[in-house]
Amino acid sequence: MDTLTNILANPEQLWQYIKQYVVMAGREATRMVLELYYVVKAPTTPVLDKTIIIGALAYQLLPKDLMNCARFGILGLADNVATLAVSYNRVKHRITPEIKTKVEDILNQWFGPVRFP
């Protein structure tokens, strides 16, 4: 649990952990994880919502998985996506404009600014 606490301590440590998966995950999946991170950090988020988010993020970050990709292929990713989607849908109304701005700034640093054709 100490490892998870250290990873969730700030967005840069979270980035160090997930950057190995960023090409596969992409900007939007990373956006969802960062938004969940900031909702957890918000003092107005109820304990139950924080618990659900921390559980979903822990499931993404911890090495043990109910359905690992090596054994189950695409189904191994489906459980991770479902876990994030359920927690995100529960708390998306708590994503404030301030959180959106912070997340967009971080995504622009990590991925570069969004360019429209």
Side-chain angles (χ1 to χ4, degrees):
M1 198 61 151
D2 289 337
T3 302
L4 182 61
T5 303
N6 290 338
I7 290 169
L8 294 176
N10 68 52
E12 279 305 315
Q13 287 180 334
L14 182 61
W15 170 243
Q16 291 301 317
Y17 188 85
I18 66 170
K19 76 178 178 180
Q20 60 189 326
Y21 304 105
V22 82
V23 172
M24 208 169 47
R27 187 180 184 105
E28 292 310 309
T30 304
R31 176 189 315 278
M32 185 185 307
V33 169
L34 286 173
E35 286 175 347
L36 288 172
Y37 168 80
Y38 280 111
V39 170
V40 163
K41 303 269 297 174
T44 57
T45 303
V47 172
L48 179 58
D49 287 348
K50 287 183 178 192
T51 303
I52 290 168
I53 294 168
I54 289 170
L57 291 175
Y59 191 71
Q60 309 309 306
L61 301 173
L62 295 174
K64 294 290 183 185
D65 210 346
L66 289 177
M67 296 175 61
N68 68 30
C69 290
R71 187 167 179 201
F72 295 101
I74 193 73
L75 290 176
L77 291 175
D79 66 328
N80 289 62
V81 171
T83 303
L84 280 177
V86 167
S87 65
Y88 187 82
N89 280 332
R90 177 173 173 96
V91 300
K92 65 184 174 188
H93 66 281
R94 299 192 178 283
I95 300 169
T96 64
E98 293 80 16
I99 289 174
K100 286 183 180 194
T101 300
K102 280 182 191 178
V103 168
E104 196 59 38
D105 289 345
I106 291 169
L107 291 173
N108 287 337
Q109 288 174 6
W110 294 352
F111 291 92
V114 175
R115 298 171 200 234
F116 296 102

